[in-house]
Amino acid sequence: DSGVTQTPKHLITATGQRVTLRCSPRSGDLSVYWYQQSLDQGLQFLIQYYNGEERAKGNILERFSAQQFPDLHSELNLSSLELGDSALYFCASSRTSENEQYFGPGTRLTVT
Amino acid sequence: AQSVTQPDIHITVSEGASLELRCNYSYGATPYLFWYVQSPGQGLQLLLKYFSGDTLVQGIKGFEAEFKRSQSSFNLRKPSVHWSDAAEYFCAVGPRIFKAAGNKLTFGGGTRVLVKP
């Protein structure tokens, strides 16, 4: 158990819908990262937050957004969902003094 | 731009045999290197990491990896594989220090390991 929690574990929804994925980092970790894992793209970095502020963006679509709240949990919002958004979405967290990232169990999103 | 290559998509190994997974990276500075393992239906678990110092690093589950700067490689090894080692293994590279501008990890495509009885 990495100490990073993600909810829900599975999500099935229809095209055009909007969903929210939630992540709680390890205790004491200020940074939260979101990654997408799909069969065709592999593991891709989406976005990083540090202590509530966005710090880096990767291959994140405009339909996707994220935020980190004062209690340091983070949410990834995916809207106008398409079939191609079906993937495993991971959250990771790390401490400032080091850059090891610990991953949560992931949320499997299926868009039908 | 940084990149990680894992040349072997699949590897099949007999239980008790040795295992070596290859990883080559391209990075602008001296990187922080990681190996993660993903069991079926599970998240990513950190196996080991190389930051500095001894280029042979030990990790969990009996794995070790060797950093070779001249070859830009960070290969993962295990002397004797167990059936429970069947999983997908990912090599990753990231910045060595926490940077204000971001600390993303770049992952290789993964190597799926199948263990034969």
Side-chain angles (χ1 to χ4, degrees), chain A residues 81-96:
Chain A
L81 285 167
E82 302 175 358
L83 295 178
D85 297 327
S86 296
L88 197 48
Y89 290 85
F90 286 110
C91 168
S93 71
S94 71
R95 304 223 154 95
T96 308

Side-chain angles (χ1 to χ4, degrees), chain A residues 19-104:
Chain A
V19 297
T20 297
L21 313 184
R22 182 187 167 102
C23 167
S24 292
R26 292 186 313 162
S27 177
D29 286 2
L30 299 180
S31 267
V32 168
Y33 309 78
W34 287 97
Y35 292 85
Q36 179 194 58
Q37 184 180 37
S38 61
L39 284 174
D40 53 345
Q41 298 288 324
L43 264 163
Q44 299 276 316
F45 168 73
L46 294 178
I47 196 164
Q48 176 197 352
Y49 277 81
Y50 172 74
N51 203 21
E53 293 185 8
E54 182 186 302
R55 281 303 172 93
K57 261 185 171 179
N59 301 321
I60 187 166
L61 300 170
E62 284 194 17
R63 300 183 285 110
F64 296 0
S65 64
Q67 53 184 327
Q68 186 179 27
F69 295 87
D71 68 352
L72 301 178
H73 91 271
S74 178
E75 292 180 356
L76 179 66
N77 301 294
L78 315 176
S79 62
S80 303
L81 285 167
E82 302 175 358
L83 295 178
D85 297 327
S86 296
L88 197 48
Y89 290 85
F90 286 110
C91 168
S93 71
S94 71
R95 304 223 154 95
T96 308
S97 58
E98 57 197 46
N99 203 23
E100 296 170 30
Q101 294 181 24
Y102 290 87
F103 283 73

Side-chain angles (χ1 to χ4, degrees), chain A residues 98-101, chain B residues 4 6 23 31-36 46-51 65 74 76 90-96 103-107:
Chain A
E98 57 197 46
N99 203 23
E100 296 170 30
Q101 294 181 24
Chain B
V4 178
Q6 293 180 245
C23 171
Y32 202 171
L33 292 157
F34 306 87
W35 275 99
Y36 286 87
L46 180 62
L47 275 178
L48 49 74
K49 59 188 184 286
Y50 173 75
F51 182 77
F74 188 54
L76 181 72
F90 293 91
C91 181
V93 64
R96 295 182 73 193
N103 297 274
K104 71 170 189 175
L105 293 182
T106 298
F107 285 86

Side-chain angles (χ1 to χ4, degrees), chain B residues 34-60:
Chain B
F34 306 87
W35 275 99
Y36 286 87
V37 60
Q38 184 178 24
S39 298
Q42 303 295 312
L44 292 162
Q45 182 181 23
L46 180 62
L47 275 178
L48 49 74
K49 59 188 184 286
Y50 173 75
F51 182 77
S52 65
D54 192 346
T55 56
L56 185 63
V57 294
Q58 303 297 319
I60 62 171

Side-chain angles (χ1 to χ4, degrees), chain B residues 18-21 35 48 56 62-66 68 75-80:
Chain B
S18 64
L19 175 69
E20 181 165 11
L21 304 182
W35 275 99
L48 49 74
L56 185 63
F63 284 92
E64 65 179 26
E66 186 171 13
K68 291 186 178 180
N75 293 348
L76 181 72
R77 298 193 291 253
K78 185 167 184 177
S80 176

